[in-house]
Amino acid sequence: MKITGAKVFVGGPGKNYVTLKIMTDQGVYGLGDATLNNRETLPAAYLNDYLIPNLIGMDPRNSEDIWQFFYRGAYFRRGPIAMAAFAAIDMALWDIKGKLANMPLYQLFGGKSRDGALVYAHATGSDLSDLKDSIRYYIDQGYKAVRVQCGIPGMPTAGYGVAETKGDVANYITDFSGIKPKVEIWDTDRYMRYMPDALMDIRDHFGPDLKILHDVHHRLTPREAAAFAKSVEPVGLYWLEDPTPAEDQDALKMLRQHSTVPVAIGEVFNSVWDCNKLIEQNLIDFIRVSVTYAGGITHVKRIVDLAGLHNVRTGFHGAPSHSPISMAAQAHLNAWAPNFGIQEYLVLGTPECDALFPSDHKLQNGMFQVSDGAGLGVDFDESEAERYHFKAGSHPIVRLEDGTMWDY
Ligand code: CS2
Ligand code: MG
């Protein structure tokens, strides 16, 4: 069996999804997602210029060797661009394997460990009252877990994860008005003074059963993060996400010495080498990698297995920048993983997105029900894809009030 060709598509409804389609001499094809949010054309160029020409003629069933060929063969290893490009190839090869076996991917991993996978949504409000409305909306939809992000009184701009318009949840991450980023202003003191009480208010208002998650988005120093974690302990958070910048793994030691709040980290990690220490030293409770940014199913499965040995559970990244293809790959891992925790989930649901990526995966009552279709269980409509093209956009950047650059 041989790979005969591969195509890359960039575009989508309100997103620049990077979709890879690998064709074979037996008519079976596979799909992968290389969407690196805000830098989408780069994995696409890597695929087109280097990886696809090497793929042609390879046996698509040898997904492990193909992964090693590209990873070891590059010499200059890792990094988000390369790992997203390898991820798309890897997802597509697993998709082909599942289709050849006529089985959903979770069967190839070891079968189902649960009936449905718990997901969380993003609630957001420019103030506490709007945030409560947003949380109520998700509870009424059946969600059991919600990430809560709130505007901070006196902060000149909205703060991480806070939509500018009430009710707008999906599109606040990328601003498509141009390639130059908007500037947000961050004030740690105001955040530290306001947010712990706001989180406690949410707990009191919604009661003990709601799983409440909060994302600090890398904005605190190790000492501030430890103090913040200590002060939110009575809230009983399901997790505190990215309290410090992710590069400094030792930073979490101080937080661990002062608090037992569960910590989730890893959405910016590309490989097991970015998180093995965090996992082995029990510095985190949830690993947040995604199949797109961390090299695909083959590599993320290794991370999940390592995490399982140390009682670290999964909480895969699922920001709306991921296409339904990588969300499907994660859904199969979630159905199987003995150490599954929760899945961030926002991507599906618009008619345009469903038309571009038809599938039987379903969300019901805050639980993700994986499709029983062969392979990934998601398709890609190439004629729909013709409606879309790459649009320049950017994340905001963050500065302190005096102009100092800060972490987005
Ligand atoms: C975030 C992301 O979903 C999350 O937890 O931290 O939305 C992140 O801001 C984006 O993925 C950046 O592209
Ligand atoms: Mg996050």
Side-chain angles (χ1 to χ4, degrees):
M1 187 173 185
K2 282 192 174 15
I3 294 171
T4 49
K7 294 193 261 188
V8 183
F9 304 81
V10 183
K15 297 282 154 197
N16 291 315
Y17 294 131
V18 181
T19 305
L20 173 71
K21 181 170 183 175
I22 295 183
M23 282 76 74
T24 68
D25 58 357
Q26 297 190 12
V28 183
Y29 61 87
L31 299 169
D33 176 23
T35 310
L36 179 61
N37 202 25
N38 288 273
R39 297 291 185 269
E40 296 90 350
T41 53
L42 303 179
Y46 193 17
L47 282 160
N48 281 322
D49 295 349
Y50 294 93
L51 305 178
I52 291 174
N54 275 292
L55 266 180
I56 312 289
M58 285 180 168
D59 185 332
R61 294 169 298 184
N62 296 335
S63 48
E64 180 68 58
D65 183 63
I66 292 174
W67 196 94
Q68 301 290 338
F69 175 90
F70 287 127
Y71 181 82
R72 292 175 184 235
Y75 184 62
F76 298 102
R77 291 179 185 178
R78 297 154 59 182
I81 298 165
M83 292 302 258
F86 301 166
I89 293 172
D90 187 69
M91 278 178 238
L93 299 182
W94 276 97
D95 192 24
I96 290 169
K97 207 184 295 293
K99 286 172 178 166
L100 291 174
N102 197 22
M103 284 182 187
L105 281 193
Y106 67 78
Q107 289 293 4
L108 304 187
F109 304 153
K112 268 192 190 177
S113 302
R114 58 195 53 79
D115 296 330
L118 179 70
V119 307
Y120 72 89
H122 285 191
T124 147
S126 55
D127 60 28
L128 197 48
S129 151
D130 275 6
L131 174 58
K132 283 181 182 161
D133 290 348
S134 174
I135 297 170
R136 172 58 58 200
Y137 168 83
Y138 287 111
I139 293 174
D140 291 347
Q141 306 272 309
Y143 283 85
K144 298 156 186 59
V146 191
R147 185 189 87 165
V148 303
Q149 305 298 128
C150 189
I152 308 294
M155 193 121 89
T157 54
Y160 169 73
V162 178
E164 277 173 15
T165 331
K166 190 170 177 181
D168 182 9
V169 286
N171 272 321
Y172 57 84
I173 295 171
T174 302
D175 166 23
F176 284 108
S177 61
I179 205 77
K180 294 201 174 168
K182 281 192 181 153
V183 181
E184 286 182 357
I185 305 297
W186 175 253
D187 181 333
T188 299
D189 291 343
R190 283 201 172 96
Y191 172 78
M192 298 264 293
R193 279 199 303 270
Y194 184 73
M195 205 60 213
D197 288 346
L199 289 169
M200 199 61 224
D201 189 321
I202 291 165
R203 170 59 76 212
D204 290 342
H205 190 83
F206 291 100
D209 290 336
L210 181 67
K211 292 179 172 47
I212 301 173
L213 297 77
H214 178 64
D215 191 347
V216 183
H217 224 251
H218 324 272
R219 302 229 171 138
L220 301 179
T221 65
R223 191 208 57 78
E224 290 161 353
F228 188 83
K230 204 157 109 176
S231 66
V232 298
E233 231 162 51
V235 179
L237 288 179
Y238 186 80
W239 82 31
L240 183 67
E241 179 175 338
D242 287 330
T244 54
E247 295 95 331
D248 182 5
Q249 304 205 347
D250 286 333
L252 293 172
K253 283 185 184 156
M254 190 181 296
L255 189 154
R256 284 304 218 203
Q257 281 158 10
H258 292 277
S259 164
T260 54
V261 71
V263 174
I265 202 161
E267 64 185 42
V268 298
F269 294 163
N270 316 127
S271 79
V272 69
W273 307 110
D274 298 323
C275 55
N276 61 329
K277 191 162 133 188
L278 292 173
I279 291 170
E280 286 160 4
Q281 296 182 8
N282 249 285
L283 294 175
I284 56 171
D285 300 276
F286 294 90
I287 180 70
R288 292 269 295 136
V289 288
S290 69
V291 290
T292 314
Y293 305 152
I297 293 167
T298 296
H299 194 69
V300 166
K301 203 165 167 303
R302 294 208 160 93
I303 297 175
V304 173
D305 281 331
L306 176 69
L309 297 179
H310 298 275
N311 290 303
V312 173
R313 291 190 284 161
T314 62
F316 293 146
H317 187 235
S321 41
H322 294 293
S323 92
I325 295 172
S326 61
M327 293 307 287
Q330 298 193 157
H332 287 282
L333 288 168
N334 291 338
W336 152 78
N339 52 327
F340 168 75
I342 196 167
Q343 171 67 57
E344 181 180 29
Y345 181 81
L346 295 97
V347 76
L348 299 182
T350 69
E352 293 82 7
C353 196
D354 291 346
L356 185 59
F357 299 101
S359 91
D360 292 328
H361 295 288
K362 282 190 188 62
L363 184 72
Q364 276 166 347
N365 277 327
M367 305 292 283
F368 196 94
Q369 309 293 340
V370 68
S371 156
D372 282 325
L376 287 168
V378 55
D379 210 346
F380 178 66
D381 187 328
E382 286 183 49
S383 56
E384 273 291 311
E386 283 169 18
R387 298 173 51 190
Y388 304 108
H389 56 273
F390 172 76
K391 282 200 301 190
S394 180
H395 284 143
I397 55 137
V398 176
R399 291 185 185 275
L400 304 183
E401 273 174 299
D402 70 357
T404 306
M405 266 303 281
W406 208 245
D407 292 279
Y408 169 64

